[in-house]
Amino acid sequence: MQRFKDKSVIITGAGSGLGRAAAIRIAKEQGRLTLVDLNEAGLQETGKEIRNAAPDAEVLLVTANVASEAEVENYVAEAVKRFGTIDGFFNNAGIEGKQNLTEDFGSDEFGKVVNINLNGVFYGLKHVLKVMKEQGSGAVVNTASVGGIRGVGNQSGYAASKHGVVGLTRNSGIEYGQFGIQVNAIAPGAIMTPMVEGSLKQMDPENWEQVGEEFVQPNPMKRFGKPEEVAHLVAFLLSGDAGFINAAVIPIDGGQSYKY
């Protein structure tokens, strides 16, 4: 498939996990990529993996903190300068933060998680949607979470920020559909990424793999999801094949969020 031939796509949080998997998937389909992450080493590793998987891919690497609006504005400008358009945007960067009951959840920690997960998504939408509106086309996928459509416990900052991402998605989808732009969100469940591994290690640093095995037992599919499975969904939503899907929040969690 070459669904992204001559298309420019920005991916934030591209230095690992879902962002890296989506970057590789889209590069294989000849997408022209602007990859953004605060972790420069992770970003370089993603670039290396793309060169191995798709040697002819056009890739621009931008080190940036999505919680800084100035840095967001810069990565958008760099993408336009290099590729001329922004046809797709995977607005993905995020963190979990430390786990704790709400009464014990640090105020600074809450602010940090919200700044990255919610403000960062807002800044991305603000500056990318302006470009897409001028073009008269574009597709956005925000990374929400099952923690954005239900409670998960011990994650006040994460849950609040991801519920906010759901609200931004629905609101922006309603606003910008008239301009030929789709704005959707994915709501991943337990996908085996470095962030989920870190979450398991917060639960039990010594036996986190066993915790993981127990963690997935309530899931109808009895396993963790794979980043590549999420990447297929993201690519579909950004490709143009999903042209009438807008303002939707799509769970990808093995069915767990629907289970009583």
Side-chain angles (χ1 to χ4, degrees):
M1 292 187 292
Q2 298 181 358
R3 295 178 295 183
F4 291 92
K5 183 176 175 57
D6 299 324
K7 290 184 178 181
S8 164
V9 178
I10 297 175
I11 300 176
T12 67
S16 65
L18 303 184
R20 177 178 290 174
I24 293 169
R25 174 69 265 163
I26 292 169
K28 288 179 177 178
E29 296 193 40
Q30 300 191 339
R32 306 161 79 192
L33 294 166
T34 300
L35 304 181
V36 181
D37 205 293
L38 185 60
N39 182 344
E40 186 174 359
L43 205 54
Q44 292 292 338
E45 181 61 30
T46 298
K48 179 180 177 181
E49 292 197 22
I50 288 173
R51 287 191 295 273
N52 291 336
D56 296 328
E58 294 184 66
V59 180
L60 172 65
L61 305 180
V62 182
T63 304
N65 179 3
V66 299
S68 164
E69 184 172 4
E71 294 185 38
V72 171
E73 190 171 11
N74 178 67
Y75 78 62
V76 172
E78 289 294 318
V80 173
K81 180 180 178 182
R82 174 72 175 271
F83 298 119
T85 62
I86 302 173
D87 303 295
F89 180 33
F90 185 25
N91 200 4
N92 166 67
I95 62 172
E96 179 193 17
K98 296 178 181 177
Q99 297 178 11
N100 236 325
L101 288 172
T102 300
E103 65 187 87
D104 298 319
F105 204 93
S107 297
D108 289 344
E109 181 72 8
F110 186 89
K112 176 184 176 182
V113 175
V114 169
N115 277 338
I116 295 170
N117 290 4
L118 183 56
N119 293 359
V121 168
F122 167 69
Y123 297 147
L125 287 171
K126 177 180 178 180
H127 293 285
V128 168
L129 287 172
K130 181 178 180 180
V131 175
M132 288 182 171
K133 182 182 175 185
E134 291 173 354
Q135 295 170 179
S137 64
V140 176
V141 174
N142 298 321
T143 297
S145 168
V146 293
I149 55 178
R150 62 182 176 88
V152 290
N154 292 320
Q155 296 182 20
S156 294
Y158 188 80
S161 62
K162 292 300 186 178
H163 274 75
V165 170
V166 168
L168 279 174
T169 299
R170 290 173 172 156
N171 189 70
S172 296
I174 290 166
E175 290 177 344
Y176 285 86
Q178 63 186 312
F179 303 116
I181 301 166
Q182 306 157 249
V183 183
N184 293 299
I186 57 170
I191 312 298
M192 186 43 74
T193 63
M195 189 175 81
V196 168
E197 182 178 321
S199 179
L200 295 172
K201 288 177 177 177
Q202 284 198 62
M203 296 178 191
D204 189 336
E206 302 298 324
N207 303 294
W208 67 271
E209 290 177 314
Q210 181 180 342
V211 171
E213 292 175 6
E214 295 170 359
F215 188 82
V216 297
Q217 288 312 301
N219 191 294
M221 301 191 78
K222 308 295 183 186
R223 67 173 177 87
F224 286 98
K226 301 173 185 177
E228 294 77 15
E229 292 172 312
V230 179
H232 287 303
L233 174 59
V234 172
F236 169 66
L237 291 170
L238 293 178
S239 68
D241 286 349
F244 204 53
I245 300 176
N246 185 41
V249 180
I250 302 173
I252 178 165
D253 67 348
Q256 188 170 358
S257 61
Y258 295 113
K259 184 179 177 184
Y260 179 71

